[in-house]
Amino acid sequence: MKNGFRFLLLCLGCLSAAPLSAQQARNISLLGHLAFPAELNDVWGYVDPAGTEYALVGRTDGVSIVDVSQPASPQLLHHLPGPLTISRDVQSWGHYLYVSNEASGGLRIVDLSLLPAAPVYKDTVIAGMTTAHTLWIDSLGYLYLNGPDQFNGGTAILNLNPDPWRPQLTGIYDVRYVHDVYTRGDTGYFAEIFGERLTLVDLSDRSQPEIINSITYPGAFTHNTWLNDAGDVCFTTDELNNSYIIAWDISDPLNIVELDRIRSSLSALSIPHNVFVLDDYLVTAHYRDGLHLADAARPGNLVEIGYYDTHPTQGPGFNGAWSAYPYLPSGNILVSDIEEGLFILRAEYRRGCYLEGLVQDQATLAPVSQAEVRLLGAEAQDLSRDNGRFALGIADPGTYQAVFSRYGYESDTLDVTLGEGQLTEVLVSLVPQVRTPLSIQVLNADQLLPLGGVRVELSNPGVTAEYQTDGQGRIVDSLFVSNAYRMTAGQWGYRTQQRFEVIDSSNNTFTLLLEPGVYDDFVLDYGWESSGTAIRGTWERAIPQQTLFGTWVFNPGADLPDDFGAYAYVTGNNPDNGPYGDDVDRGYVWLASPVFTASAYTHPYLHFWYRFISWSLNGADPDGPGDDFLAVYLTDFVDTIEVARFDGPLDTAWQEVSIPLELYYAPQQPLKVLFYTQDLERDNQDATEAAIDGVEVKEGFPLAAEDPAGIAGAAAWFGGDRLHVRWQPEAAGQMRLRLLDAAGRPLRSWQLPAAAGSLDEALSLPAGLYVVQIAGPGGRHSALRCLRR
């Protein structure tokens, strides 16, 4: 698909058929190569009546026709110029070629019957569609235009049968934006990329497409779809870094189930772009990792058997292999690399070597889930499912050591002999490690009453065991694994407790006392809620993964120092996508706390730490000032009040904020705190990231001088742009003054002799609410609100 931050660059080199330097390859060899003076996008194949094979090559500046019948010396026959566009899709039907683009002019139709002579072509606008992102033509002669500038960006169905030169609009699917479509018979498999879903559509009446089923899934950014030969498995790609090709069982369209997933072994970070199926092999253009080849004969056990890296760089990014075509009669594979040109490749199609089986508990014979299975020396591993089953495979036959391990069990190693296209099944019984009975009692520290629903985690580098106390505040586990653990306990409305214990038969009974208080450092999940409209960058509780742009830190590389655990809430947390790839884009995201009250505090302050960065690739916000910000709100479910706003651009360190709650609500009022950030830009030229940690309510200074122990005669007010402060002079010692904004951030401070008794100073400040803190010797203090109009 079009990616906003990859610029349209036209290479200025000459056409060349010279072979490239050695590439990383396995079971795939290079037959020929052709460079172009422009970047490429899609590719398709065509065979004329004489048997001559052609590559139909989409370019940013049009479409080229290349004779590849002699793959070692491909010949550019014709170039049909077109409007500049990053995305152009091509496909043939009969002796006609159809070309879509995202610039202008509508659908291009090319008559290939005159080849190798120059073809005849025209551009035509059908039903107002001047652009479309992709196209697909089924075996029945229906053309599907996807992502057009009409019909909500859905799919327009055109009938080619009456006259391929004059397609007729037959039906419209406009439920959601459609990126790509694959059809077989009367069913369509729609890749709804922005809807983050795979949708099955009934096309038995193409004038009225009807949804059969639609599913979304974690990490969904569904880019393209294709069926296996039997038609009971659909394969999808997600155009995101670090993503997988996923196999879906669609034998029951109303119950779609994931079978397996696979990604490139070259970097595991690249983007699977377009997958195709040939004889139950997956042939996938994998962007920077080039062409990827997998055996899908057992779709629940996908096996990588080959690759050819067309691009000089690997890993994340929207460069490299855009598409592939594996259906030429010769068996040669065409690959279009955006920057590197057209590749003609030859694959050695081999079946994988399959190892599958069951892991069970030796004592109880119960299935063991989450057992790790590794083949030593063969970069292959899997985790057993809930039913104890596992499945993995490799390309090379031989004898290997298979290691089975699971926390709480002794590891086991088996020698296994694997053959090409052969299934080897094993039954593995793991021996349980030493267990001990565990008993935990959790009490309210003030009242010593049991606390139900408290989350307790016991963790070490091997595992995390999660529990929740019952109505009597108890946790009982009669078969707990003896070891050293970090014990963490907490509940919203109480302060988290953590300690370290060696748990064995002599030390297995514990009482935990939780102090009441509003506190969350996110080491435990207390049920904060996230929502919003942004297409990516939603708030997530996670261990922050650092994202760098040069020396700038966009996403933090660690949570708040000195708190429990390593978690914070961050907006997007995939460093592989880069600073512009997983930040907040095209909308806003909310993060809402659970309900709390501050009734236990006399002068409650909401205290938290934040990080916020907003930066434009162009050095300035293309949407104007104030578009990108982090805001903090308080709500009592009737009124919602903004209490702080941060607009960067580069707050790259954790910043501390303390907001006096009594400025806004009574302490007994049930409240939520809301964190909101947005980036409304449409071209992905901004990077906007936010992070929150260490949220708590603390006791603070009073906001008025009613406290008898406060500073006598204390008063503060604004007169125009001048701040006036008055107090009774103290007997001895200096007075200390601080001016804070409504978010509790210090703006100015003064130290004055006790005899002064006043301050009168001009300050350039925006209108708003401010707090003046006055502290004298002996611990006396006052905090006063003053409004700058």
Side-chain angles (χ1 to χ4, degrees):
M1 67 166 285
K2 179 178 178 181
N3 182 271
F5 67 84
R6 191 179 68 78
F7 296 107
L8 180 62
L9 299 176
L10 300 182
C11 305
L12 300 179
C14 298
L15 286 172
S16 170
L20 300 180
S21 58
Q23 304 286 307
Q24 293 192 76
R26 180 178 188 177
N27 293 332
I28 302 177
S29 56
L30 175 67
L31 300 181
H33 171 255
L34 186 64
F36 288 83
E39 292 186 344
L40 304 189
N41 33 62
D42 196 23
V43 66
W44 201 259
Y46 173 70
V47 182
D48 69 14
T52 304
E53 295 183 347
Y54 299 90
L56 310 174
V57 183
R59 296 167 37 169
T60 54
D61 60 351
V63 62
S64 290
I65 302 174
V66 180
D67 183 340
V68 293
S69 58
Q70 300 297 321
S73 55
Q75 300 297 315
L76 176 64
L77 298 181
H78 309 287
H79 177 64
L80 314 180
L84 288 177
T85 177
I86 289 177
S87 179
R88 182 172 266 111
D89 220 31
V90 299
Q91 189 172 343
S92 62
W93 189 70
H95 59 80
Y96 291 93
L97 165 65
Y98 299 86
V99 185
S100 66
N101 77 85
E102 286 198 307
S104 63
L107 179 68
R108 172 164 293 185
I109 307 175
V110 184
D111 186 346
L112 302 174
S113 62
L114 298 178
L115 289 178
V120 176
Y121 66 94
K122 71 172 183 178
D123 294 328
T124 180
V125 175
I126 301 171
M129 294 180 289
T130 60
T131 69
H133 188 65
T134 64
L135 57 81
W136 164 255
I137 306 172
D138 66 22
S139 61
L140 301 176
Y142 289 93
L143 185 152
Y144 302 77
L145 280 177
N146 309 305
D149 56 353
Q150 303 290 325
F151 315 127
N152 197 33
T155 296
I157 305 174
L158 309 179
N159 190 351
L160 305 180
N161 290 285
D163 185 350
W165 192 249
R166 298 175 179 82
Q168 297 178 1
L169 181 65
T170 297
I172 296 166
Y173 173 89
D174 59 1
V175 177
R176 279 178 292 269
Y177 177 89
V178 176
H179 179 273
D180 209 348
V181 165
Y182 178 88
T183 67
R184 187 176 296 177
D186 288 332
T187 304
Y189 303 87
F190 286 47
E192 298 182 339
I193 193 166
F194 297 125
E196 300 176 343
R197 67 190 60 225
L198 163 66
T199 297
L200 276 58
V201 177
D202 182 355
L203 299 172
S204 56
D205 181 355
R206 283 170 170 77
S207 67
Q208 293 183 321
E210 297 287 343
I211 291 178
I212 301 171
N213 194 10
S214 183
I215 62 164
T216 186
Y217 47 96
F221 203 56
T222 316
H223 179 269
N224 95 304
T225 65
W226 211 274
L227 288 191
N228 70 340
D229 296 345
D232 57 0
V233 177
C234 181
F235 300 95
T236 61
T237 60
D238 296 289
E239 196 183 21
L240 296 173
N241 293 315
N242 202 30
S243 291
Y244 294 82
I245 308 162
I246 303 178
W248 302 94
D249 181 349
I250 55 163
S251 56
D252 178 357
L254 299 181
N255 183 32
I256 302 173
V257 178
E258 180 180 336
L259 295 174
D260 198 13
R261 54 178 58 199
I262 191 171
R263 60 186 176 187
S264 167
S265 66
L266 288 179
S267 68
L269 302 177
S270 69
I271 303 168
H273 195 221
N274 286 307
V275 62
F276 305 87
V277 182
L278 174 66
D279 297 332
D280 285 328
Y281 291 96
L282 307 184
V283 183
T284 306
H286 221 287
Y287 269 142
R288 285 190 176 184
D289 280 7
L291 184 71
H292 185 267
L293 184 62
D295 172 21
R298 297 181 64 82
N301 191 0
L302 303 176
V303 183
E304 179 185 87
I305 59 169
Y307 49 77
Y308 188 92
D309 188 6
T310 61
H311 201 266
T313 61
Q314 291 178 346
F318 296 86
N319 312 95
W322 180 290
S323 197
Y325 185 81
Y327 306 114
L328 290 174
S330 65
N332 297 338
I333 303 173
L334 306 174
V335 178
S336 55
D337 185 290
I338 298 168
E339 295 85 6
E340 302 299 317
L342 174 68
F343 290 77
I344 303 126
L345 304 176
R346 188 74 178 183
E348 182 182 350
Y349 293 99
R350 304 166 55 182
R351 291 300 172 195
C353 311
Y354 319 113
L355 176 64
E356 301 178 12
L358 172 68
V359 183
Q360 65 182 12
D361 186 302
Q362 186 187 68
T364 66
L365 303 184
V368 175
S369 65
Q370 298 300 300
E372 182 183 57
V373 186
R374 291 184 296 118
L375 280 184
L376 298 185
E379 292 190 5
Q381 62 184 37
D382 194 25
L383 291 175
S384 60
R385 284 57 164 175
D386 290 343
N387 61 3
R389 299 287 305 179
F390 71 91
L392 57 83
I394 57 174
D396 298 325
T399 299
Y400 298 87
Q401 285 190 317
V403 179
F404 300 82
S405 57
R406 174 69 163 91
Y407 183 79
Y409 291 88
E410 302 291 342
S411 296
D412 194 10
T413 301
L414 298 179
D415 290 332
V416 293
T417 299
L418 305 178
E420 181 178 337
Q422 297 178 7
L423 170 63
T424 300
E425 291 195 276
V426 296
L427 173 63
V428 180
S429 297
L430 295 182
V431 178
Q433 291 178 327
V434 175
R435 308 295 179 106
T436 185
L438 172 68
S439 177
I440 298 175
Q441 173 79 73
V442 182
L443 304 175
N444 181 309
D446 287 351
Q447 304 166 334
L448 299 182
L449 295 175
L451 286 176
V454 174
R455 298 179 62 87
V456 179
E457 287 186 356
L458 295 116
S459 60
N460 61 31
V463 72
T464 296
E466 299 181 352
Y467 299 92
Q468 185 167 298
T469 59
D470 61 17
Q472 299 302 311
R474 293 187 179 277
I475 293 169
V476 177
D477 186 343
S478 60
L479 294 174
F480 190 77
V481 179
S482 298
N483 213 320
Y485 293 91
R486 179 177 60 192
M487 184 183 299
T488 307
Q491 187 179 62
W492 182 252
Y494 291 85
R495 300 189 66 82
T496 306
Q497 182 186 130
Q498 189 173 93
R499 64 204 237 190
F500 293 86
E501 297 285 351
V502 176
I503 301 177
D504 55 27
S505 59
S506 63
N507 185 47
N508 55 18
T509 302
F510 305 95
T511 298
L512 304 179
L513 303 178
L514 296 188
E515 297 180 0
V518 179
Y519 174 87
D520 199 350
D521 58 13
F522 307 123
V523 64
L524 299 173
D525 186 356
Y526 292 150
W528 290 60
E529 297 177 344
S530 60
S531 61
T533 63
I535 64 170
R536 61 179 63 89
T538 187
W539 287 101
E540 57 181 293
R541 174 183 167 267
I543 298 175
Q545 304 296 311
Q546 187 178 76
T547 302
L548 293 174
F549 185 68
T551 59
W552 293 340
V553 179
F554 278 68
N555 206 51
D559 76 329
L560 187 66
D562 302 324
D563 67 353
F564 295 138
Y567 285 82
Y569 261 98
V570 292
T571 55
N573 197 42
N574 190 343
D576 300 328
N577 287 331
Y580 296 91
D582 199 27
D583 66 323
V584 180
D585 273 329
R586 303 187 191 183
Y588 59 81
V589 287
W590 283 98
L591 176 64
S593 75
V595 178
F596 68 95
T597 71
S599 56
Y601 304 86
T602 305
H603 300 291
Y605 278 66
L606 175 66
H607 187 81
F608 62 89
W609 296 76
Y610 80 93
R611 294 177 60 135
F612 178 73
I613 184 169
S614 177
W615 189 252
S616 170
L617 188 66
N618 301 319
D621 188 344
D623 302 298
D627 171 64
D628 311 331
F629 59 86
L630 169 66
V632 186
Y633 297 85
L634 290 169
T635 181
D636 64 353
F637 312 100
V638 176
D639 297 316
T640 299
I641 302 173
E642 180 178 308
V643 297
R645 178 176 290 216
F646 317 105
D647 55 10
L650 291 172
D651 289 336
T652 58
W654 285 104
Q655 307 288 326
E656 186 177 14
V657 175
S658 189
I659 299 173
L661 292 176
E662 60 184 315
L663 284 174
Y664 307 102
Y665 295 105
Q668 67 274 12
Q669 188 74 29
L671 301 175
K672 279 190 175 186
V673 57
L674 311 173
F675 297 96
Y676 169 99
T677 192
Q678 71 171 31
D679 185 356
L680 305 182
E681 54 85 20
R682 305 298 300 177
D683 58 4
N684 207 24
Q685 297 298 298
D686 294 356
T688 300
E689 293 272 24
I692 299 295
D693 205 357
V695 179
E696 61 181 314
V697 176
K698 289 184 174 181
E699 189 65 56
F701 292 120
L703 293 181
E706 74 279 0
D707 189 338
I711 303 300
W717 68 96
F718 277 100
D721 64 351
R722 305 191 70 85
L723 173 66
H724 304 277
V725 185
R726 297 287 184 269
W727 67 92
Q728 295 291 335
E730 294 287 323
Q734 290 187 324
M735 305 296 293
R736 296 185 303 280
L737 274 67
R738 288 204 311 165
L739 178 65
L740 293 79
D741 65 12
R745 295 173 296 191
L747 302 176
R748 288 284 304 274
S749 62
W750 299 265
Q751 285 194 349
L752 300 173
S758 66
L759 174 75
D760 186 349
E761 186 161 340
L763 298 173
S764 178
L765 294 171
L769 192 63
Y770 294 87
V771 177
V772 174
Q773 293 180 341
I774 311 172
R780 290 178 295 277
H781 59 266
S782 290
L784 305 106
R785 288 172 289 185
C786 48
L787 185 63
R788 165 81 162 89
R789 299 185 182 278

